[in-house]
Amino acid sequence: MSWGTELWDQFDNLEKHTQWGIDILEKYIKFVKERTEIELSYAKQLRNLSKKYQPKKNSKEEEEYKYTSCKAFISTLNEMNDYAGQHEVISENMASQIIVDLARYVQELKQERKSNFHDGRKAQQHIETCWKQLESSKRRFERDCKEADRAQQYFEKMDADINVTKADVEKARQQAQIRHQMAEDSKADYSSILQKFNHEQHDYYHTHIPNIFQKIQEMEERRIVRMGESMKTYAEVDRQVIPIIGKCLDGIVKAAESIDQKNDSQLVIEAYKSGFEPPGDIEFEDYTQPMKRTVSDNSLSNSRGEGKPDLKFGGKSKGKLWPFIKKNKLMSLLTSPHQPPPPPPASASPSAVPNGPQSPKQQKEPLSHRFNEFMTSKPKIHCFRSLKRGGATPEDFSNLPPEQRRKKLQQKVDELNKEIQKEMDQRDAITKMKDVYLKNPQMGDPASLDHKLAEVSQNIEKLRLETQKFEAWLAEVEGRLPARSEQARRQSGLYDSQNPPTVNNCAQDRESPDGSYTEEQTQESEVKVLATDFDDEFDDEEPLPAIGTCKALYTFEGQNEGTISVVEGETLYVIEEDKGDGWTRIRRNEDEEGYVPTSYVEVCLDKNAKDS
């Protein structure tokens, strides 16, 4: 099966077919190129997707990824990033092993095809030239034969005519002989050219064309083989990354299998455990005795003669145990609102007035000043350690529950130790550099490092003092954390039930004014004594003096804790001016006081009271 013998007369069709083969190869190259672009785009999108869901560094979101399920998710994102890398490898290998190689081969193929068909056209033109020569010789031989025949007929005619002179006959005879000689020459030439043409034609159809077509056939078959090899390479490039992609998927499966729900539950406990004990039983209050009156909700002290066990402070609503309310009453009176007050209504009509802000926290400043003497003269009650205005986080994290405070302090100690180690490494490096300068003065002045060395040593000393301070707080917290057995808890519960009036005041109301927690007293006897003294201190407290008056510009419905309702046009007493948070503390009478938005009232302060 050879194109030279089977397709000897299909030169033009072979030329079209080979051009079609090159077009197919170029189309395949374009297909692979688009595939590489898709792989690159897919890898880029996968990387962007992985980056999008990665937790941001030094953010709250990063702290949330301590759970095993979140860690597994991070591992999945990392594996997907590696997965995207394998698609980039696919694109790179296809570009280098297929596209570049085939593009170079196509150029070589075009040159070879051009050369082969050029030789074919050259042989074709040569045989056509030989054919034209043969035709020309044949026509000349035919013409000479006809001319010789006419000259012979003319000679015979002249020779038969008696009226023609002998000279004319001789001339006609000679002309006939000349024509006969020319015809013989043309015949010989035609015969020679014919033999030559037959030889050339035989070589053309049995030697030149078969050889040229055989080369073209081999070229085409090489193209087909090369295209098949490229397809195999195309598959092998994918197959090579399958093991790595399998490892990526195995990594995702392994990460999923590493999820430990029990561990995550324990982390939730560690993250939110306060370290406090659950509240004791609520004492039964007997309201059947007509002489036993409850203390007003807005009062700052208990009636001494009624024997009420619990301190009750607050604005409008009755006091409740701390597990069931957001803020206890005592803390509400000691803290100022952190939330912005509502804007004044567009009109003065009651219907346009909003219901007010969400449970504003009371200001701490006035009453905390009254605690100063109590706090300095008696042992410090940890329940009120964070009673200071502003709500800023204390340095010792005393606003946190014991367990959370311990974790924060431990974290701070670890950070300080790392900083100390870093400074010590820097000091060692400077010391070594100084030694080098001492041995080789030409490298530098040793005295130039003294200032830096002193600065680093000073920093180390400061960090050590800071570490000691936090370690002291940590030791204090670790010593106070509850680690009691079940029997001790029963005894503590029995003791609490026998002495409920004094314990509940401090042990149950543990939330600080800004929603955080304060420390718990481990020695219950000390808490009881201090809480009793604290009751006595508040029994002697007098209401804060009025420092001016105010007139309500709008109606304000103080439905939330710590606020007081006012009616448009009502005049009230100002007992504490706005501290910059948008709230003013006012009093209607001795039993009713609270906060209203400053923009809702027109304040007129007493100059003497303000100066004092």
Side-chain angles (χ1 to χ4, degrees):
M1 183 183 65
S2 173
W3 287 5
T5 56
E6 304 291 339
L7 303 176
W8 60 270
D9 57 345
Q10 298 298 321
F11 185 88
D12 294 337
N13 288 331
L14 288 179
E15 187 176 14
K16 293 179 182 179
H17 177 76
T18 52
Q19 181 61 44
W20 171 83
I22 293 177
D23 293 340
I24 286 293
L25 192 58
E26 290 179 337
K27 184 182 294 186
Y28 181 73
I29 295 174
K30 185 178 180 181
F31 159 75
V32 177
K33 186 176 181 180
E34 291 183 4
R35 165 72 190 277
T36 59
E37 293 174 356
I38 291 174
E39 292 292 342
L40 282 178
S41 176
Y42 181 50
K44 183 179 179 181
Q45 292 179 12
L46 284 180
R47 289 191 183 278
N48 291 338
L49 181 66
S50 177
K51 183 179 179 181
K52 177 181 178 182
Y53 287 94
Q54 287 282 357
K56 297 180 181 178
K57 293 184 177 180
N58 300 326
S59 64
K60 183 180 179 181
E61 184 182 0
E62 188 178 19
E63 296 179 359
E64 296 174 355
Y65 278 80
K66 60 186 176 181
Y67 302 102
T68 56
S69 56
C70 295
K71 289 180 180 179
F73 179 51
I74 293 296
S75 299
T76 300
L77 295 178
N78 295 333
E79 295 295 344
M80 289 306 298
N81 198 41
D82 297 339
Y83 185 89
Q86 297 310 306
H87 284 278
E88 291 176 348
V89 170
I90 291 176
S91 177
E92 293 173 0
N93 291 341
M94 285 186 176
S96 61
Q97 300 179 21
I98 299 179
I99 297 177
V100 176
D101 195 27
L102 283 185
R104 183 171 57 250
Y105 177 71
V106 165
Q107 296 301 323
E108 296 174 356
L109 192 65
K110 288 181 178 179
Q111 291 295 330
E112 184 180 0
R113 175 181 175 276
K114 181 179 179 181
S115 176
N116 289 331
F117 280 100
H118 176 72
D119 293 341
R121 288 194 184 91
K122 188 176 179 181
Q124 198 174 38
Q125 290 174 359
H126 178 69
I127 198 67
E128 288 177 356
T129 302
C130 293
W131 173 255
K132 289 179 181 178
Q133 289 179 356
L134 178 63
E135 287 292 323
S136 177
S137 175
K138 180 181 178 180
R139 285 195 296 270
R140 186 171 59 254
F141 173 60
E142 182 181 6
R143 185 177 63 252
D144 289 345
C145 288
K146 289 181 179 179
E147 290 293 334
D149 187 48
R150 284 198 295 270
Q152 182 65 29
Q153 290 178 2
Y154 180 72
F155 167 69
E156 290 178 354
K157 183 179 177 182
M158 292 292 291
D159 188 42
D161 191 359
I162 58 173
N163 296 323
V164 177
T165 62
K166 187 176 180 181
D168 291 335
V169 173
E170 184 64 23
K171 184 179 180 181
R173 186 182 64 78
Q174 292 178 354
Q175 188 68 25
Q177 289 178 349
I178 292 173
R179 291 296 180 183
H180 278 289
Q181 185 63 38
M182 290 177 63
E184 290 294 331
D185 293 341
S186 297
K187 179 179 179 182
D189 185 51
Y190 171 67
S191 176
S192 175
I193 293 177
L194 179 62
Q195 291 179 0
K196 182 179 179 182
F197 175 78
N198 289 335
H199 177 71
E200 292 290 342
Q201 181 176 254
H202 183 273
D203 290 342
Y204 175 78
Y205 286 112
H206 295 84
T207 304
H208 298 305
I209 287 298
N211 291 337
I212 293 173
F213 282 11
Q214 185 66 29
K215 292 179 181 179
I216 294 174
Q217 181 180 358
E218 292 174 356
M219 177 193 72
E220 182 69 10
E221 290 175 352
R222 287 198 307 271
R223 177 195 67 81
I224 296 171
V225 172
R226 193 62 170 270
M227 189 169 180
E229 292 176 351
S230 299
M231 291 181 180
K232 289 181 181 179
T233 305
Y234 178 88
E236 287 298 326
V237 167
D238 266 341
R239 194 189 306 276
Q240 288 172 0
V241 301
I242 288 178
I244 304 178
I245 291 178
K247 290 182 179 179
C248 295
L249 300 178
D250 292 340
I252 296 175
V253 174
K254 185 177 180 181
E257 292 175 349
S258 67
I259 295 177
D260 186 357
Q261 66 275 16
K262 297 297 182 182
N263 184 61
D264 286 359
S265 299
Q266 182 62 32
L267 289 177
V268 174
I269 294 174
E270 293 177 1
Y272 301 109
K273 181 180 178 181
S274 66
F276 294 130
E277 292 292 334
D281 295 338
I282 302 175
E283 184 187 38
F284 176 76
E285 297 184 17
D286 190 2
Y287 291 95
T288 59
Q289 299 180 15
M291 298 302 295
K292 197 176 203 179
R293 298 178 58 190
T294 59
V295 183
S296 173
D297 291 336
N298 292 321
S299 178
L300 287 176
S301 61
N302 287 330
S303 298
R304 294 184 179 181
E306 296 180 1
K308 284 288 181 179
D310 292 329
L311 284 173
K312 292 191 176 181
F313 304 98
K316 297 189 63 171
S317 61
K318 293 183 179 182
K320 300 180 182 179
L321 293 179
W322 66 268
F324 309 105
I325 60 174
K326 183 66 179 175
K327 298 289 178 289
N328 58 67
K329 297 301 176 182
L330 175 60
M331 297 300 104
S332 298
L333 288 176
L334 296 178
T335 56
S336 61
H338 290 291
Q339 300 164 343
S347 63
S349 61
S351 61
V353 180
N355 292 333
Q358 298 178 354
S359 300
K361 303 175 184 177
Q362 300 282 349
Q363 296 183 357
K364 311 176 187 176
E365 189 70 16
L367 216 51
S368 63
H369 283 308
R370 296 175 177 268
F371 283 152
N372 286 340
E373 182 179 356
F374 167 73
M375 300 296 282
T376 55
S377 61
K378 294 181 175 62
K380 199 170 187 180
I381 298 181
H382 295 282
C383 293
F384 301 99
R385 175 173 288 179
S386 61
L387 297 183
K388 54 183 179 180
R389 184 178 180 85
T393 304
E395 186 182 12
D396 60 351
F397 304 106
S398 58
N399 61 321
L400 298 176
E403 183 67 23
Q404 302 303 318
R405 184 187 179 199
R406 183 192 64 78
K407 291 178 62 177
K408 285 288 185 181
L409 290 173
Q410 184 64 52
Q411 182 180 357
K412 187 67 176 179
V413 169
D414 294 339
E415 292 176 358
L416 290 173
N417 287 332
K418 289 181 181 178
E419 293 181 9
I420 290 174
Q421 185 61 40
K422 185 177 179 181
E423 292 291 337
M424 291 177 67
D425 294 341
Q426 187 176 359
R427 183 186 62 182
D428 295 340
I430 296 174
T431 304
K432 291 180 180 179
M433 186 179 296
K434 185 176 181 181
D435 293 340
V436 173
Y437 287 175
L438 289 172
K439 294 178 181 179
N440 302 298
Q442 69 274 10
M443 297 183 66
D445 184 13
S448 62
L449 300 176
D450 292 341
H451 176 70
K452 183 64 176 178
L453 192 60
E455 182 181 351
V456 172
S457 300
Q458 188 178 1
N459 292 340
I460 292 175
E461 188 63 27
K462 288 181 180 179
L463 290 173
R464 282 177 176 171
L465 292 176
E466 192 79 6
T467 304
Q468 291 175 3
K469 180 174 62 175
F470 279 94
E471 285 177 347
W473 285 333
L474 180 61
E476 177 187 359
V477 174
E478 289 177 344
R480 295 175 184 275
L481 282 177
R484 297 179 290 181
S485 62
E486 188 65 23
Q487 182 178 2
R489 290 180 181 176
R490 293 198 190 98
Q491 293 174 356
S492 175
L494 178 61
Y495 187 87
D496 293 342
S497 64
Q498 293 174 353
N499 301 273
T502 57
V503 177
N504 290 339
N505 291 328
C506 184
Q508 292 184 5
D509 294 339
R510 291 189 180 100
E511 284 192 353
S512 67
D514 53 358
S516 59
Y517 289 87
T518 54
E519 290 184 356
E520 179 187 17
Q521 286 284 355
T522 57
Q523 298 180 358
E524 298 180 0
S525 59
E526 182 182 356
V527 176
K528 296 183 180 69
V529 174
L530 293 178
T532 306
D533 293 340
F534 182 69
D535 291 340
D536 296 338
E537 289 287 335
F538 271 91
D539 287 339
D540 296 334
E541 281 292 338
E542 295 181 358
L544 293 175
I547 60 174
T549 59
C550 67
K551 181 180 180 181
L553 300 177
Y554 313 101
T555 298
F556 176 70
E557 298 180 2
Q559 298 180 352
N560 298 307
E561 185 178 350
T563 60
I564 184 173
S565 300
V566 296
V567 182
E568 181 181 354
E570 183 180 5
T571 302
L572 306 101
Y573 294 101
V574 178
I575 59 176
E576 185 179 339
E577 60 179 322
D578 188 356
K579 299 295 184 179
D581 51 8
W583 296 91
T584 300
R585 189 175 177 183
I586 63 173
R587 177 189 297 140
R588 179 177 284 111
N589 50 49
E590 293 184 358
D591 294 333
E592 290 188 77
E593 63 180 46
Y595 286 89
V596 295
T598 304
S599 58
Y600 277 61
V601 294
E602 180 181 3
V603 179
C604 181
L605 298 177
D606 185 7
K607 184 177 181 182
N608 294 331
K610 185 175 180 182
D611 293 340
S612 60

